[in-house]
Amino acid sequence: MNIYENVATQALTSFFYHEALWKKEILFNFLLQPFNLKVTDIKDVITQDNLKDTIPDFTIITSDGTRICYEVKINDADLTSSERKSNTRDAYLICRKYSHIEEIPINKDKILFWDDLFELIDKIGATKEFARFDLVREYIKIPFYSLLLTPHEVAMFYSPDTIFAVYSLSEKLLELCESFLDKYSDYYTYEKRTDKMTKGSENNQWGIGYYFSETKNKKRNFFIGLSPYVKNKEYYYSLALQIEETMQTNNWYVEDEYAFFPLDKEILAKCKTDEELQETFNKNVLDTIKTIK
């Protein structure tokens, strides 16, 4: 899931716990309409509900124990391999112009549209009361949109030291990854940066790190670095292996066609020199790769 869909999911599920009953009725009656249910039939609403080796964006649990799994899409975000399977999602909430709508593997009557939800809210004159959705509306209108900042984050922009530190840290991580791949170039290949933005590296909302591939033995594709879009926070700093459906994932954490293996975050804090940091980082990555069968 990307960061925009995270915000949209949080906006939706927060209504169940933090909003007035009349607003819950509008939202959840809309979501439950394809199943002939209403808000009074709900027992709980949860996010990151790990089911069938996949994680829907949120799940509504009814009073009789039925689980209804929803997938949220903003703009034209692609479907993952698990989302393409007919038994992992019960309903989708998408934009009416979603370009991958024909790839959704469920009955069309289980597809809901943001457009219809917003039209419903506006028609009853409750636009201001549903202000939690304002940012979602903007994301849908503009594919790449800057997140609203907290007061602390705004303050960071007024501190040259803070700005420099944040930029330097992201550059340091990219340098660590690049140096590792250069040292073991007989085994791994990647696209070097010709400037600050290149195809081989990521330094944006999707991640900070490098995509690389093995050149010998098994032909496997990896990503190394930070992956802030990953739902499980334990795997933000990790090595990720792109997997195929035939691969055995064992106890790996799998999301969006990648299996994630955590790296040692302590390394970034306890090493006292650049040389020690690079050497320890290299060893940690190599040891992690060796654990992948």
Side-chain angles (χ1 to χ4, degrees):
M1 172 193 287
N2 66 40
I3 195 169
Y4 307 109
E5 289 168 16
N6 268 322
V7 172
T9 298
Q10 290 168 4
L12 285 164
T13 55
S14 66
F15 273 80
F16 190 70
Y17 299 102
H18 304 299
E19 296 289 356
L21 177 60
W22 70 272
K23 287 195 273 187
K24 292 182 189 178
E25 289 177 340
I26 293 170
L27 175 60
F28 287 100
N29 286 349
F30 171 82
L31 293 173
L32 290 167
Q33 186 177 354
F35 305 96
N36 295 317
L37 298 171
K38 293 186 178 297
V39 68
T40 50
D41 296 305
I42 298 177
K43 179 181 180 182
D44 199 3
V45 177
I46 56 177
T47 59
Q48 298 185 5
D49 186 24
N50 198 334
L51 297 170
K52 306 169 187 173
D53 296 321
T54 186
I55 304 177
D57 287 326
F58 69 96
T59 301
I60 291 178
I61 302 176
T62 65
S63 53
D64 66 359
T66 301
R67 281 176 138 78
I68 305 175
C69 302
Y70 289 78
E71 187 64 35
V72 175
K73 290 296 177 186
I74 297 296
N75 296 315
D76 285 331
D78 201 0
L79 297 174
T80 66
S81 59
S82 66
E83 293 161 11
R84 296 175 191 275
K85 298 176 181 177
S86 60
N87 66 339
T88 64
R89 304 294 189 274
D90 300 300
Y92 281 75
L93 179 59
I94 62 173
C95 303
R96 191 167 290 281
K97 294 182 179 180
Y98 183 59
S99 62
H100 305 289
I101 189 168
E102 296 303 321
E103 300 173 28
I104 295 177
I106 61 175
N107 292 335
K108 296 300 182 276
D109 63 344
K110 300 298 191 299
I111 297 177
L112 299 162
F113 298 102
W114 285 105
D115 318 60
D116 294 341
L117 175 58
F118 294 149
E119 183 179 341
L120 172 65
I121 292 169
D122 295 341
K123 189 173 182 179
I124 62 175
T127 307
K128 291 183 179 179
E129 285 76 11
F130 282 78
R132 286 181 184 269
F133 288 144
D134 287 352
L135 207 53
V136 180
R137 292 183 189 234
E138 290 298 322
Y139 292 159
I140 291 174
K141 200 183 307 178
I142 306 171
F144 293 98
Y145 185 87
S146 298
L147 287 173
L148 293 180
L149 304 177
T150 66
H152 173 71
E153 290 167 333
V154 171
M156 291 172 64
F157 280 103
Y158 288 89
S159 169
D161 293 337
T162 305
I163 296 171
F164 181 74
V166 172
Y167 175 79
S168 297
L169 285 171
S170 64
E171 282 299 303
K172 172 65 73 176
L173 182 56
L174 287 172
E175 289 170 6
L176 285 169
C177 298
E178 190 169 0
S179 296
F180 166 79
L181 293 168
D182 282 342
K183 181 169 183 177
Y184 298 97
S185 58
D186 287 346
Y187 298 93
Y188 308 111
T189 181
Y190 75 107
E191 291 187 45
K192 290 191 176 183
R193 291 189 294 169
T194 54
D195 52 32
K196 298 304 180 187
M197 297 295 291
T198 192
K199 293 180 181 178
S201 68
E202 288 283 349
N203 193 359
N204 52 39
Q205 76 268 28
W206 303 110
I208 299 173
Y210 273 94
Y211 293 102
F212 67 98
S213 302
E214 288 179 322
T215 56
K216 294 183 178 181
N217 301 323
K218 298 178 180 177
K219 303 295 184 182
R220 301 184 296 187
N221 299 315
F222 294 92
F223 178 80
I224 185 174
L226 294 175
S227 301
Y229 67 87
V230 176
K231 295 175 184 177
N232 191 324
K233 296 180 176 61
E234 293 298 316
Y235 295 86
Y236 278 7
Y237 178 60
S238 60
L239 175 81
L241 168 67
Q242 188 173 22
I243 60 173
E244 301 173 357
E245 289 189 10
T246 56
M247 286 186 177
Q248 295 295 319
T249 55
N250 299 323
N251 294 321
W252 307 346
Y253 174 70
V254 177
E255 184 179 323
D256 290 353
E257 301 177 12
Y258 276 86
F260 291 84
F261 303 83
L263 297 173
D264 184 0
K265 294 185 285 290
E266 295 295 320
I267 289 173
L268 303 176
K270 67 185 180 184
C271 294
K272 295 180 171 58
T273 66
D274 288 343
E275 292 76 13
E276 181 187 5
L277 177 58
Q278 186 69 62
E279 183 180 340
T280 312
F281 176 84
N282 291 355
K283 184 178 184 303
N284 184 213
V285 174
L286 290 174
D287 288 346
T288 302
I289 292 175
K290 288 177 183 176
T291 66
I292 305 173
K293 304 300 184 183

